C-alpha cells in the first residue's frame, strides 16, 4: 500500500540521517531513479519512474483510484488501489510525488499509465479555493483570476494565453535576429521623459529625482549609431489615469529601431514581414493553443494597406477627428480594411505633427512621418521616422517651448554620425489580446498594473 511504502521510505531516510549503512544503500538505489516528465513516459513502458506534479483530476472508485498528475510537460494518468490512499487522502491541486511502473495502455493519453507503488504529498493545497486548475473558469471574474494567478496559470484557459505570449516573444526575437538586428537592454531609470516629461512616474533616486522610463526610444536611437539595427523587449511605464480595458500603467514593449532608411514605409515593411513571420509560426507551431481562442488562422500581414490620417477621416466621414483616432474609428477602419484587403488591419500614416513626439520626422509641413498599426480594431503599434540631425531636434524642442538643455546627453549622440532612422513599439499585451480575441488587455497581463492595482 502507498501509505505503508511512504512510511517505510521515511524510516529509511531517518536511518540514513543517523548513519545506518544498510539504509544508505537502499536510499542510493531509490535516488538512482531520476524524476521523469509526463511527456517522456510514452517510451518507458515497463520502467520504474518518479513523476512529480499537481493532482489535476481525481476519480475515486470503490476499488481503484485514477489520478491525473500534471507537470510542465503534460499529464499522465496514475492508477492505484483505493485502499492504499486511505492515509494519504490526496485532492485536486495538491503537489505530489508518485513512484511507480509505467504500463502501456492504448486508451490513455500518451499511450501509457503509471501503476502507483508509493506516493508522497509534497504540499497540500487549501481545502477551499475559488476554482481549481481543472475548473471551467469561463465564469470566474478577472479579479479573482488575477488574485489567484499561479493557480489560474495551471488552468489551460488562462495558462495557454501566456504560452502563446511566450511564443510571440520568441518569434519576435528570432525574426529580428535573422534580419541582422542586435538585441539591447537599456535602463528603465531615466533623468527625463522621452516625450517632454509628460505622464512620468517620479521616483526618489538618492538625493535627486528620477523617473521610470516611458520608452527605450532614446537608447534605441543610440543603438542605431552603434549597431545600425537594434531591438529591445522590456517594461515601460505610463502615468496615465486611464481605467479602460485597453490601458495599463506598466506594459511590456517590443521595440526595434533601424538606420539608413528612406522613409517610414521602410519601417512599415519590416513590421509587415515581422508580424507575418510571427503569425506563421503561431499557426504552425502553436496551432492547438491559438485554435482554442480563434476559429481562423492568423492572417498574412504583407498586404496590410497604408492610409493617411486625412484619408481615414474621409473614409469615416469624421471631421471631428482632429489629431488622433478614437476607439470606434479604429474598429471601423479595421472593418473597412478587411472588406477591401482581406485583413482586419491598417497602417495609419501622417497624423498631425503637433500630436506626435518632438523627435518625429515631418512627412509634410503639418503631418508627421509617424504611423499607428490597427489590428482587429485596436492600435497595437506606434512608430515612424525620427529626426536625425541635432539642429532639427533642438528646433523641434524649442517650437514646443521645451529647453534643449535637459536633453544634452541625448542630443550629443547625434554628433556621432546618426543616419536617417526609424522604428516602432508594439504592446505585447495588446498584441496577445488581439491575436486571441480577448476582451480585456489584463487577460494577457500576468500581473496587471493600472490606476488601482499594485498587487499581487
Amino acid at each position: 500500500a502507498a501509505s505503508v511504502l511512504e512510511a517505510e521510505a521515511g524510516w529509511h531516510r531517518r536511518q540514513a540521517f543517523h548513519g545506518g549503512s544498510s539504509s544508505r544503500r537502499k536510499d542510493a538505489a531509490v535516488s538512482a531513479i531520476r524524476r521523469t516528465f509526463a511527456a517522456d513516459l510514452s517510451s518507458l513502458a515497463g520502467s520504474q519512474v518518479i513523476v512529480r506534479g499537481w493532482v489535476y483530476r481525481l476519480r475515486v472508485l470503490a476499488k481503484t483510484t485514477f489520478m491525473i498528475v500534471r507537470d510542465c510537460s503534460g499529464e499522465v494518468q496514475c492508477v492505484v488501489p483505493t485502499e492504499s490512499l486511505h492515509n494519504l487522502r490526496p485532492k485536486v491541486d495538491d503537489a505530489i510525488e508518485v513512484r511507480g511502473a509505467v504500463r502501456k495502455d492504448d486508451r490513455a493519453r500518451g499511450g501509457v499509465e503509471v501503476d502507483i507503488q508509493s506516493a508522497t504529498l509534497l504540499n497540500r493545497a487549501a481545502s477551499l479555493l475559488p476554482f481549481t486548475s481543472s475548473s471551467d473558469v469561463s465564469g470566474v471574474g478577472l479579479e479573482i483570476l488575477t488574485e489567484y494567478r499561479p493557480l489560474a496559470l495551471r488552468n489551460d484557459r488562462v495558462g495557454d494565453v501566456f504560452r502563446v505570449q511566450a511564443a510571440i516573444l520568441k518569434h519576435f526575437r528570432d525574426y529580428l535576429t535573422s534580419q541582422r538586428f542586435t538585441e539591447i537592454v537599456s535602463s528603465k531609470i531615466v533623468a527625463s521623459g522621452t516625450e517632454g516629461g509628460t505622464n512620468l512616474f517620479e521616483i526618489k533616486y538618492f538625493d535627486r529625482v528620477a523617473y521610470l522610463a516611458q520608452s527605450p526610444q532614446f537608447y534605441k536611437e543610440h543603438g542605431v549609431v552603434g549597431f545600425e539595427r537594434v531591438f529591445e523587449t522590456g517594461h515601460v511605464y505610463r502615468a496615465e489615469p486611464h481605467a479602460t480595458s485597453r490601458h495599463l500603467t506598466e506594459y511590456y514593449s517590443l521595440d526595434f529601431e533601424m538606420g539608413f532608411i528612406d522613409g517610414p514605409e521602410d519601417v512599415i515593411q519590416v513590421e509587415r514581414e515581422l508580424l507575418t513571420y510571427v503569425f506563421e509560426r503561431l499557426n504552425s507551431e502553436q496551432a492547438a493553443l491559438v485554435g482554442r481562442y480563434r476559429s481562423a488562422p492568423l492572417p498574412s500581414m504583407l498586404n496590410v494597406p497604408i492610409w493617411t490620417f486625412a484619408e481615414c477621416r474621409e473614409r469615416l466621414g469624421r471631421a471631428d477627428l482632429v489629431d488622433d483616432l478614437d476607439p470606434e474609428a479604429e474598429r471601423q477602419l479595421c472593418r473597412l480594411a478587411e472588406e477591401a484587403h482581406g485583413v482586419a488591419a491598417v497602417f495609419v500614416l501622417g497624423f498631425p505633427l503637433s500630436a506626435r513626439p518632438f523627435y518625429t520626422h515631418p512627412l509634410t509641413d503639418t503631418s508627421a512621418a509617424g504611423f499607428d498599426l490597427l489590428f482587429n480594431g485596436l492600435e497595437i503599434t506606434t512608430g515612424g521616422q525620427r529626426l536625425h540631425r541635432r539642429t532639427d531636434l533642438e528646433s523641434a524642442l524649442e517650437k514646443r517651448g521645451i529647453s534643449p538643455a535637459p536633453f544634452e546627453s541625448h542630443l550629443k549622440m547625434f554628433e556621432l554620425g546618426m543616419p536617417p532612422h526609424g522604428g516602432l513599439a508594439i504592446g505585447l499585451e495588446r498584441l496577445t489580446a488581439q491575436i486571441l480575441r480577448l476582451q480585456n488587455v489584463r487577460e494577457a497581463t500576468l500581473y496587471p498594473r493600472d490606476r488601482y492595482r499594485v498587487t499581487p
Side-chain angles (χ1 to χ4, degrees):
S3 55
V4 173
L5 289 171
E6 183 185 18
E8 182 183 8
W11 182 86
H12 286 310
R13 283 193 293 271
R14 288 192 297 273
Q15 291 302 306
F17 179 81
H18 290 293
S21 59
S22 62
S23 63
R24 280 199 299 270
R25 288 193 294 272
K26 290 181 180 180
D27 276 352
V30 169
S31 63
I33 305 175
R34 298 180 61 186
R35 180 252 183 120
T36 303
F37 288 104
D40 299 329
L41 293 169
S42 59
S43 62
L44 297 177
S47 301
Q48 299 289 314
V49 296
I50 296 173
V51 176
R52 293 173 182 155
W54 292 275
V55 179
Y56 184 61
R57 286 196 175 94
L58 192 64
R59 186 158 60 103
V60 181
L61 304 180
K63 294 186 177 181
T64 306
T65 292
F66 299 91
M67 181 193 303
I68 295 179
V69 176
R70 169 175 277 199
D71 62 21
C72 63
S73 71
E75 59 192 51
V76 61
Q77 180 162 278
C78 302
V79 184
V80 65
T82 297
E83 64 179 16
S84 300
L85 296 178
H86 177 71
N87 293 330
L88 202 62
R89 299 183 185 278
K91 63 182 182 303
V92 171
D93 287 316
D94 286 347
I96 197 167
E97 175 184 281
V98 167
R99 295 170 183 257
V102 181
R103 171 174 45 79
K104 186 174 181 180
D105 189 329
D106 294 334
R107 298 168 298 176
R109 180 177 296 187
V112 295
E113 292 183 340
V114 173
D115 291 321
I116 298 177
Q117 297 167 345
S118 69
T120 304
L121 284 180
L122 303 176
N123 201 359
R124 290 188 180 276
S127 298
L128 295 176
L129 293 171
F131 59 90
T132 71
S133 58
S134 56
S135 296
D136 177 2
V137 297
S138 57
V140 179
L142 181 56
E143 288 294 316
I144 295 297
L145 292 175
T146 303
E147 193 69 25
Y148 291 85
R149 184 57 98 197
L151 180 61
L153 292 175
R154 297 211 301 267
N155 187 288
D156 284 344
R157 185 180 177 90
V158 177
D160 285 351
V161 170
F162 296 97
R163 293 184 183 96
V164 170
Q165 190 171 89
I168 293 169
L169 268 171
K170 176 183 183 300
H171 302 322
F172 176 85
R173 284 192 170 97
D174 289 348
Y175 181 77
L176 291 178
T177 300
S178 76
Q179 300 300 306
R180 298 186 172 88
F181 283 79
T182 299
E183 184 170 9
I184 61 173
V185 180
S186 64
S187 176
K188 298 298 173 277
I189 299 175
V190 296
S192 62
T194 57
E195 298 174 12
T198 61
N199 301 321
L200 289 167
F201 282 112
E202 181 179 303
I203 61 174
K204 182 180 179 182
Y205 195 71
F206 300 104
D207 58 347
R208 56 179 171 158
V209 170
Y211 305 93
L212 295 178
Q214 300 165 303
S215 161
Q217 181 57 41
F218 288 177
Y219 296 117
K220 288 193 302 175
E221 293 183 85
H222 301 174
V224 166
V225 180
F227 294 114
E228 181 184 335
R229 291 184 161 203
V230 296
F231 73 92
E232 176 168 6
T233 71
H235 281 106
V236 295
Y237 303 87
R238 299 290 174 112
E240 298 172 341
H242 297 298
T244 74
S245 62
R246 56 193 277 161
H247 288 100
L248 298 165
T249 54
E250 176 190 61
Y251 66 92
Y252 205 76
S253 188
L254 312 182
D255 289 75
F256 74 72
E257 203 80 10
M258 53 192 288
F260 300 102
I261 67 171
D262 294 315
E265 295 82 3
D266 290 353
V267 180
I268 287 173
Q269 185 58 26
V270 171
E271 183 168 25
R272 283 175 173 146
E273 295 168 0
L274 164 65
L275 290 179
T276 296
Y277 175 87
V278 171
F279 290 177
E280 287 176 347
R281 297 283 77 74
L282 291 176
N283 286 336
S284 60
E285 298 175 18
Q286 283 78 35
L289 299 185
V290 175
R292 293 173 186 168
Y293 300 87
R294 54 182 302 127
S295 57
L298 289 158
S300 168
M301 300 291 280
L302 297 179
N303 295 322
V304 174
I306 302 173
W307 295 343
T308 65
F309 180 68
E311 184 182 357
C312 289
R313 293 177 62 192
E314 292 176 7
R315 287 176 181 269
L316 297 171
R318 293 279 305 274
D320 61 307
L321 298 172
V322 178
D323 55 13
D324 204 355
L325 301 169
D326 60 24
E328 181 56 30
E330 292 177 355
R331 289 189 288 268
Q332 290 179 358
L333 287 169
C334 285
R335 286 196 290 268
L336 292 173
E338 186 170 25
E339 292 170 3
H341 299 274
V343 57
V346 57
F347 288 96
V348 181
L349 177 65
F351 290 88
L353 189 59
S354 60
R356 290 282 152 160
F358 73 88
Y359 50 77
T360 306
H361 200 286
L363 189 65
T364 67
D365 288 342
T366 58
S367 66
F371 63 85
D372 287 351
L373 172 61
L374 314 180
F375 177 59
N376 284 347
L378 184 69
E379 173 212 317
I380 61 167
T381 300
T382 296
Q385 183 177 0
R386 329 298 190 184
L387 294 169
H388 63 280
R389 294 186 177 91
R390 174 171 179 149
T391 53
D392 292 336
L393 283 163
E394 290 175 332
S395 177
L397 284 165
E398 289 166 352
K399 286 179 181 178
R400 299 189 184 209
I402 303 172
S403 170
F407 296 89
E408 176 58 28
S409 65
H410 175 57
L411 294 173
K412 69 182 182 182
M413 303 302 171
F414 289 77
E415 301 172 354
L416 306 178
M418 177 74 78
H421 64 282
L424 56 77
I426 303 172
L428 176 61
E429 295 87 352
R430 283 193 182 186
L431 176 59
T432 306
Q434 295 310 94
I435 285 173
L436 300 181
R437 301 189 180 281
L438 305 177
Q439 297 301 308
N440 193 315
V441 71
R442 288 160 186 76
E443 295 179 66
T445 310
L446 197 62
Y447 289 103
R449 293 293 178 261
D450 55 32
R451 185 177 180 179
Y452 302 107
R453 179 179 281 279
V454 291
T455 59

